[in-house]
Amino acid sequence: VILSPDSDMHIMCVKESAWEARLLMKNGKSQNSRSEIGLDERALRHLEKSGATTVEELFAGLRIEVPTLTKAEVTDTVWLLAAQDKVDMQEPLPKSFIDFLRTWQENLWFYASLGVSFVTILIINFIPPSHPLLVLRWALGSVFVFFIPGYVTLQGLYPGDRRIDRGERIALSVALSLVLVMLVGLLLNYTPWGIRLTPILISLTILTVGLAAMALTRRYRSRTS
Amino acid sequence: MNTAYNNNALLLLAAFLFAVLVSLVFLRDSLIPEKFYPFVIATIAFCLIFQVLWISPYLVGYGDLHLEYFLFQLVESTGRWNTALPYFYNSALSVTILPAMVRPLLAVGDTSLFKTMYPLTFTFVPVVLFLAYRNVVGSKRAFLSSILFMSYTSYFSEVSFIGKQDIAELMIASLILLTYGGPNIKRSGKPITILLMVGLVFAHYSSLYLYFGIVLLSFPLLAVLKKKSVISPTFMAIFLVFGLCWYFYTAGGTALTEVVQVGNVLYSSFISDFFLPAARGGVVLMFFGVGVTSALVNRIDLMVQYSIQFFIIAGVLTLWKRRKSVNGEFLSYASVSLILVVSGIVVPYFSSTLNESRIYQFALIFLSPACVLGGEIIFRNLSYATSILKRRSWHVSLPNSNRSLTFVSCFIILFLLFNTGFINEMSGAPPISFALGMNRMKASNTPGLVTFLFDIYLPGQDYAGARWISTYMLQNQTVCGDSPSRLGFLLAYAGIPLQWNGGNSYAPPLLPYSTRGCMYLYFSYENTVKGIVENSYGYPIYPISAFSNLDYERNRIYSNGATVILAFEQ
């Protein structure tokens, strides 16, 4: 992807967001050529030496060698290297847990899990079993009981999204959900409330929210460490 | 479709399409991309299971399912799980607490829950196995292995009726996924393994015993191979103790007593009945040709079954030959499973007490990929040998793997078509499929076919009779019925248990020429319309004329044209 000089606003926007991005060496290796060294080659050499760094640090490092260098040139070079799959760009590290919570895309699983649980509770409480919308209760209720408990547990156990295959994640989520639901049922059996709708709903919600919160914390820690 | 319109054309078409789908994968790579394999597997599994389950709107299955349903209803009605009830199924939380947790949340009917939750879970098992197998044998072989696993009749006509085993097999498939999986999935595998093991203990005692047996016996093999195991012996020992404690303290220890009794039978009869053919189960004897008719279709069917077993043996031998490069657990589990299958033939009463078809179905979890590998090796070597003979030169390269796999897929497709009953229906041979051959079974008066169908199938008249007697019968009385009635719908839909459990009604067996101890006699559709009374599933069978001494006119309190209930003064 070579940035178009016509869409200046877009370039600015990309440059701004890329500025804080962390850079990791990927497939690129600097070539020891005696000819004139290009900016991309200099950047790769610098990244080889310093390991993971930010664009800002790269700019500062390269400016020592080329004092006339501008920030825009460095950013363009970084995008070019990224497009050539020579460097990998990562989101900037979250400054706090709240900041981490704001990264919607990364934590979509968390909000979706809580959202489905919340809607399921609403449907169970407000839509009577004879209503045509009962189908929604079957669909969301099945996800709530057969998928989400195991899924949030896996999110905590495998914090990185790419660590296990999506199919494996779904398969294990279903199996783990069944185990967790049986365990919750066993605990409920020994409480004064027994295995009834309200205690089931409350306990499964607590389990889901608790496991999701634990998973979120674990992911935050793994992200910042 | 078959039930409503008396036409099995669409089901036959579906069975044919399964074969087409499988063959499309091997015709050209681009036709069905690899990412769609799980969907193809899930679709075939779903159709295979549900075409049988939908032959009736009521519960479809042997007594296991009805007892599970009865125990679930006890939990649901009281909101408590009674740990002391002395039914060994009661130790399985998968059929007591799990449905009691799910039903109120989803607000579905009890029967619908049992007809959807467990079968859908079981549909998922071949998909999880595919994900596991592909780590050890690659995607195409894994695909064929999953197809083979679900092609065995027991998958869709026996185990799919047993809720606790459906859940247990999902746990085992997930454990295999962790065991055969790559380093990424193993990284955080311990907590998941612990949870899945707990789930397996809660799900089903027999599956747990078999799984533990296979894993424990694989440890010495792994030691010989000098390979590490994901599940350590200490870990297994802890869970063995946990499992045994669970079965000791729940359901009056009946689940533990059961395994001890089986062990006792095997031990006491090993020497005395070693050469007695009758000490082997019907399926084992049929495998050796006993009871197989001379019809060409049946002979071909038997040859296909032999070929599959031959592939399995060749596969395990190939794995041993390549032991340095293959996954240690895969090799050892397959070897122990093969020993388990062979034990069913060699050890007297092993297959009949443990139910041979269910054991074989269980063993296929570990043996399916070995079977595909074995078939591939055989076909590669055959092609190689043919090429040498044709060219009369040793300088012939080995044929590519794809072509050999295509040959294996042909055998597995044949295996699938025979087991689904497609070929029997097309050739007019006796029906073997509940779904495809339902009408012919219903119309038949051959005792074997009638009992085969009515052991799992509940006609509407019997359902109505069961509901009627549960409403109008006097409390704490006995209802005598034949085996499918007592173990099936009287238990599930009338709530009458098999044995006396402290002041409740119960259902003793229906015996000819004697009504002693029976307040009510329940004659089902099978008894009155087909004229057959089963005292125990299949054996012995009495004709209804054995009950001709009864005064039907005087004692009849209910009749709906098929089901008849008689009452006697005590």
Side-chain angles (χ1 to χ4, degrees):
Chain A
V1 179
I2 298 169
L3 300 170
S4 158
D6 301 333
S7 53
D8 198 39
M9 284 300 288
H10 179 66
I11 293 168
M12 289 304 291
C13 179
V14 173
K15 282 171 185 170
E16 284 299 315
S17 67
W19 193 247
E20 288 185 8
R22 293 171 71 225
L23 298 175
L24 292 171
M25 277 295 292
K26 213 175 174 186
N27 305 323
K29 275 223 160 196
S30 63
Q31 290 158 10
N32 293 322
S33 162
R34 285 183 186 176
S35 60
E36 194 181 332
I37 301 169
L39 188 55
D40 51 347
E41 185 62 20
R42 282 180 197 278
L44 280 177
R45 282 188 177 185
H46 185 83
L47 288 170
E48 260 182 355
K49 268 189 201 168
S50 59
T53 183
T54 62
V55 182
E56 194 156 17
E57 283 167 2
L58 180 67
F59 172 64
L62 291 177
R63 196 135 188 219
I64 299 167
E65 294 173 38
V66 189
T68 54
L69 199 66
T70 63
K71 277 185 182 181
E73 282 171 327
V74 175
T75 315
D76 283 351
T77 308
V78 167
W79 276 108
L80 193 68
L81 290 172
Q84 289 168 354
D85 211 23
K86 287 181 178 171
V87 296
D88 196 15
M89 289 209 285
Q90 289 184 349
E91 287 290 317
L93 287 178
K95 286 166 188 147
S96 65
F97 188 67
I98 302 292
D99 193 30
F100 177 64
L101 278 177
R102 280 192 200 126
T103 50
W104 287 92
Q105 217 170 358
E106 200 174 336
N107 296 319
L108 190 63
W109 65 272
F110 177 75
Y111 297 111
S113 304
L114 294 194
V116 169
S117 306
F118 183 66
V119 175
T120 308
I121 294 166
L122 286 181
I123 288 174
I124 289 173
N125 283 302
F126 296 106
I127 295 180
S130 54
H131 199 274
L133 282 178
L134 182 68
V135 184
L136 265 182
R137 181 166 171 176
W138 295 341
L140 288 177
S142 301
V143 176
F144 176 66
V145 75
F146 293 122
F147 184 73
I148 291 181
Y151 182 71
V152 292
T153 310
L154 279 180
Q155 289 290 344
L157 291 173
Y158 296 98
D161 267 339
R162 289 175 197 171
R163 281 228 198 136
I164 59 170
D165 174 83
R166 189 179 293 169
E168 292 173 342
R169 203 174 271 270
I170 293 170
L172 289 175
S173 298
V174 174
L176 287 180
S177 297
L178 290 169
V179 182
L180 291 169
V181 170
M182 283 193 274
L183 279 170
V184 169
L186 185 64
L187 287 176
L188 279 180
N189 188 54
Y190 295 102
T191 61
W193 310 291
I195 306 166
R196 303 273 180 214
L197 177 61
T198 313
I200 292 171
L201 203 55
I202 294 170
S203 54
L204 282 183
T205 310
I206 291 172
L207 176 84
T208 304
V209 174
L211 285 172
M214 272 168 60
L216 195 72
T217 316
R218 197 150 187 257
R219 287 170 80 91
Y220 171 68
R221 281 191 192 146
S222 91
R223 184 88 172 73
T224 49
S225 63
Chain B
M1 172 78 192
N2 202 0
T3 322
Y5 301 104
N6 289 331
N7 188 340
N8 64 0
L10 271 184
L11 292 174
L12 285 169
L13 181 69
F16 176 72
L17 285 178
F18 301 155
V20 172
L21 262 179
V22 177
S23 50
L24 280 181
V25 168
F26 291 90
L27 277 179
R28 197 188 287 172
D29 285 345
S30 56
L31 281 175
I32 300 181
E34 205 179 301
K35 64 180 177 185
F36 290 117
Y37 289 177
F39 296 105
V40 175
I41 293 167
T43 309
I44 297 176
F46 180 87
C47 295
L48 283 174
I49 289 177
F50 280 90
Q51 68 177 8
V52 178
L53 287 177
W54 284 339
I55 60 171
S56 155
Y58 313 108
L59 290 178
V60 172
Y62 299 98
D64 304 64
L65 183 70
H66 298 86
L67 183 53
E68 291 168 1
Y69 186 82
F70 171 73
L71 292 169
F72 147 67
Q73 288 200 316
L74 288 181
V75 179
E76 198 199 15
S77 58
T78 57
R80 298 277 169 199
W81 169 56
N82 182 357
T83 53
L85 270 183
Y87 295 100
F88 47 88
Y89 293 15
N90 192 37
S91 60
L93 297 190
S94 53
V95 290
T96 50
I97 284 183
L98 182 67
M101 291 280 287
V102 175
R103 209 210 73 84
L105 283 176
L106 302 189
V108 288
D110 291 353
T111 302
S112 306
L113 180 74
F114 265 65
K115 283 181 78 119
T116 50
M117 183 176 81
Y118 297 112
L120 278 178
T121 309
F122 204 43
T123 299
F124 213 48
V125 173
V127 180
V128 182
L129 286 177
F130 164 76
L131 297 173
Y133 295 157
R134 69 179 180 179
N135 292 312
V136 287
V137 290
S139 285
K140 279 205 167 173
R141 292 186 195 96
F143 174 78
L144 265 190
S145 307
S146 297
I147 297 291
L148 174 70
F149 169 76
M150 64 174 135
S151 299
Y152 184 56
T153 320
S154 198
Y155 172 76
F156 52 87
S157 286
E158 190 177 4
V159 180
S160 56
F161 305 152
I162 307 166
K164 52 193 181 313
Q165 192 164 343
D166 296 352
I167 302 285
E169 288 202 7
L170 180 66
M171 298 299 156
I172 291 169
S174 306
L175 280 165
I176 295 173
L177 177 61
L178 286 175
T179 315
Y180 294 176
N184 280 348
I185 199 164
K186 283 176 182 165
R187 202 170 292 161
S188 296
K190 262 225 168 100
I192 303 175
T193 310
I194 292 171
L195 281 171
L196 292 174
M197 285 277 195
V198 171
L200 183 57
V201 172
F202 288 166
H204 188 210
Y205 43 87
S206 299
S207 302
L208 178 91
Y209 296 145
L210 285 172
Y211 178 72
F212 271 33
I214 287 172
V215 176
L216 287 174
L217 287 174
S218 74
F219 287 135
L221 292 181
L222 285 166
V224 171
L225 293 165
K226 292 177 185 162
K227 294 207 174 185
K228 269 191 172 180
S229 167
V230 173
I231 302 172
S232 69
T234 324
F235 190 79
M236 281 308 282
I238 292 168
F239 269 93
L240 188 63
V241 173
F242 172 64
L244 293 178
C245 285
W246 179 260
Y247 297 130
F248 187 78
Y249 288 111
T250 58
T254 44
L256 199 59
T257 314
E258 180 77 3
V259 74
V260 173
Q261 280 173 352
V262 168
N264 190 32
V265 169
L266 299 183
Y267 176 74
S268 59
S269 60
F270 188 76
I271 303 288
S272 59
D273 296 336
F274 191 81
F275 294 105
L276 187 71
R280 275 79 190 174
V283 175
V284 174
L285 295 176
M286 204 177 276
F287 182 71
F288 287 105
V290 181
V292 177
T293 60
S294 55
L296 182 67
V297 175
N298 290 351
R299 291 285 157 197
I300 297 172
D301 186 9
L302 201 60
M303 293 316 293
V304 173
Q305 308 282 345
Y306 283 148
S307 309
I308 295 291
Q309 314 319 316
F310 183 53
F311 291 170
I312 289 176
I313 295 167
V316 175
L317 291 176
T318 309
L319 287 177
W320 274 98
K321 200 177 162 194
R322 298 175 183 174
R323 60 187 171 276
K324 282 185 183 160
S325 58
V326 296
N327 180 303
E329 276 115 337
F330 172 40
L331 166 57
S332 55
Y333 291 175
S335 308
V336 177
S337 300
L338 184 61
I339 294 169
L340 185 76
V341 173
V342 173
S343 305
I345 299 168
V346 175
V347 181
Y349 298 110
F350 187 86
S351 56
S352 51
T353 22
L354 294 175
N355 193 333
E356 64 267 46
S357 51
R358 274 165 69 180
I359 287 205
Y360 186 71
Q361 191 273 338
F362 188 88
L364 274 182
I365 294 176
F366 304 98
L367 288 173
S368 296
C371 175
V372 174
L373 269 181
E376 186 188 345
I377 289 297
I378 287 170
F379 282 114
R380 281 187 85 178
N381 286 321
L382 275 178
S383 319
Y384 183 54
T386 321
S387 307
I388 289 170
L389 287 175
K390 269 186 187 168
R391 296 187 193 181
R392 293 180 185 178
S393 157
W394 290 100
H395 302 289
V396 175
S397 59
L398 264 173
N400 69 18
S401 174
N402 264 354
R403 203 196 305 163
S404 312
L405 271 181
T406 310
F407 281 119
V408 182
S409 73
C410 293
F411 266 80
I412 290 175
I413 288 169
L414 264 179
F415 188 65
L416 173 75
L417 290 177
F418 269 113
N419 288 341
T420 50
F422 176 84
I423 292 179
N424 281 48
E425 291 304 311
M426 296 303 281
S427 65
I432 55 162
S433 160
F434 294 121
L436 298 174
M438 169 106 175
N439 294 326
R440 290 204 291 152
M441 282 184 199
K442 262 175 131 177
S444 168
N445 281 320
T446 313
L449 277 183
V450 172
T451 54
F452 183 61
L453 175 66
F454 285 94
D455 282 351
I456 68 140
Y457 172 68
L458 170 63
Q461 291 96 325
D462 284 341
Y463 172 79
R467 301 306 295 176
W468 186 88
I469 201 166
S470 71
T471 313
Y472 296 106
M473 71 181 287
L474 296 174
Q475 290 297 303
N476 304 337
Q477 293 300 332
T478 50
V479 184
C480 295
D482 75 341
S483 293
S485 317
R486 296 167 59 227
L487 301 168
F489 52 86
L490 282 179
L491 184 66
Y493 290 120
I496 305 169
L498 293 182
Q499 69 243 29
W500 187 74
N501 60 2
N504 294 323
S505 306
Y506 72 106
L510 183 64
L511 295 170
Y513 311 113
S514 167
T515 56
R516 189 181 294 169
C518 301
M519 171 79 182
Y520 301 100
L521 285 189
Y522 191 102
F523 288 100
S524 64
Y525 182 100
E526 185 189 4
N527 307 149
T528 57
V529 177
K530 294 292 173 187
I532 288 171
V533 179
E534 290 182 68
N535 203 7
S536 167
Y537 277 124
Y539 293 98
I541 298 171
Y542 306 111
I544 191 68
S545 55
F547 298 87
S548 56
N549 58 328
L550 300 172
D551 188 345
Y552 286 87
E553 290 307 316
R554 187 166 166 265
N555 297 102
R556 183 164 50 214
I557 56 167
Y558 175 86
S559 173
N560 59 20
T563 303
V564 173
I565 301 171
L566 308 183
F568 295 89
E569 286 178 22
Q570 291 294 299

